[in-house]
Amino acid sequence: MTDVVFPRGFFWGASTSSYQIEGALDADGRGPSVWDTFTAAGRIGDGSSAATACDHYHRWPEDIALLKDAGFNTYRFSIAWPRIVPAGTGAVNGKGLDFYDRLVDGLLEAGIRPMACLYHWDLPQPLEDRGGWLGREIVGPFADYAEIVARRLADRVKDWMTLNEPNVVAIFGYGLGDHAPGHTLGEAGMLKALHHQNLAQGAALRALRAIGPDLRLGTVINLQPCGAQSADAQDVAAAARWDAVWNRVPLDGVMKGEIPSILAEKMAGIVQPGDEAAIRFPIDLLGINYYSRMTMKYETGHPFDVWWGEAKCDRWTGMAWPVQPDGLYDLLTSLKDGYGNPAVYIAENGAAYDDEVAPDGMVHDAERVAFYRDHLVQVARAAADGCNVKGYLCWSLLDNFEWAFGLSKRFGIVRVDYETLKRTPKDSYHFLSAVAKRGGF
Ligand code: IFM
């Protein structure tokens, strides 16, 4: 019996990213990325690397078969900029384009809609050497790269996402230093990297539109409803500042061409005349990645005098992230009420847990199944309440390289044995597969 139902034509699928699954970092003319450098500098917690990861570069047919067998009709993958333009600007690497050509053809043959994301964090190192996202000079190279890829694939790929989680790139990569390229530049690093990603995105979206009026264009933001740890005025003000940095700079930038007024003074030296118009674009799709709410508190010594507080929650994932499914409902309704009810895809939602292989050789990941079930209940509720939510893509198809945590955190609905590279669908895979095939549960 089906109790939780989704709109007719709802899309089901999974998301991945190039650096996290492909491996083959030296293959076919790929250039170095900031994550190669960060890894070589010993910055990955478990000492692992993405050198092989899931070896998706060679095993993609098997991964497409997993998507197909699940009954998924949508797949979001990312394209590795260093495979396409190894030096960040200049020569184009045909073999890199050939790889994505094969992948896209394979997906279409399997009846799966490819959703391509242009930037999921693997910045060519030569661009970082020239300032990376800290300077406006990156805008042209990103738009050029977008155009190169689209000229090759847009006859078959109709759904394009520019950036994945620009807030995470800026905050952890340029402000706090936990992610590549590892800068600890605080507020200035965060705001510059946010704004320049917004600018580059605006230029890339215009380049894509010029190539294909029929393309569906969008972006992906990790939105987290942001609350204060207490009713104390300082906590409340700190949470509002963080909401502006984390959620509103990327979201209001593309949707409204606005810089949050609370940050106007701090961004005055970064934003130039005409930038607001340049960052705004009438997107066709908004991808949102949802993992949890954020609970923030006032604390000096950190950028914006704000830091993560303690969430009130009784369930936690293996990342020590709180499990708060109703935050997804609140997020979807806030987009309906405050942003004109855009067409939204849940572009990532999922959880890492310390999976174990059972004596039967399977992974009975009951906590992950519960995580998915509880979030899907909220998605269905939001859709029933009028939110224009079009599809749900889990994070992630495969266990993969979880950035600074390396291979130690497993988000997949399919287990990857990193010794043998054997794929084993977990119970969560079978659960989502049944939901996708039935259109509910
Ligand atoms: O693995 C990441 C992904 O690359 C971006 N969104 C969050 C996921 C889990 O941390």
Side-chain angles (χ1 to χ4, degrees), residues 14-62:
S15 287
T16 62
S17 89
S18 49
Y19 198 75
Q20 293 180 272
I21 64 168
E22 285 177 0
L25 300 182
D26 295 324
D28 295 339
R30 176 189 177 275
S33 84
V34 291
W35 277 94
D36 304 336
T37 310
F38 197 70
T39 300
R43 300 293 304 275
I44 305 305
D46 66 351
S48 64
S49 83
T52 305
C54 310
D55 195 31
H56 171 79
Y57 193 78
H58 300 110
R59 293 167 196 254
W60 58 268
E62 193 182 340

Side-chain angles (χ1 to χ4, degrees), residues 147-183:
E147 185 173 340
I148 291 161
V149 177
R151 285 210 182 282
R152 181 68 174 266
L153 299 179
D155 57 333
R156 287 152 292 150
V157 177
K158 298 299 170 189
D159 297 281
W160 292 84
M161 303 302 209
T162 48
L163 307 174
N164 184 78
E165 301 183 0
N167 44 4
V168 173
V169 170
I171 290 165
F172 294 107
Y174 289 84
L176 301 176
D178 312 64
H179 280 192
H183 294 301

Side-chain angles (χ1 to χ4, degrees), residues 20 120-121 164-165 291 321 348 395 402-403 411:
Q20 293 180 272
H120 198 129
W121 309 0
N164 184 78
E165 301 183 0
Y291 289 90
W321 295 348
E348 289 184 22
W395 183 269
E402 177 56 22
W403 307 113
F411 273 91

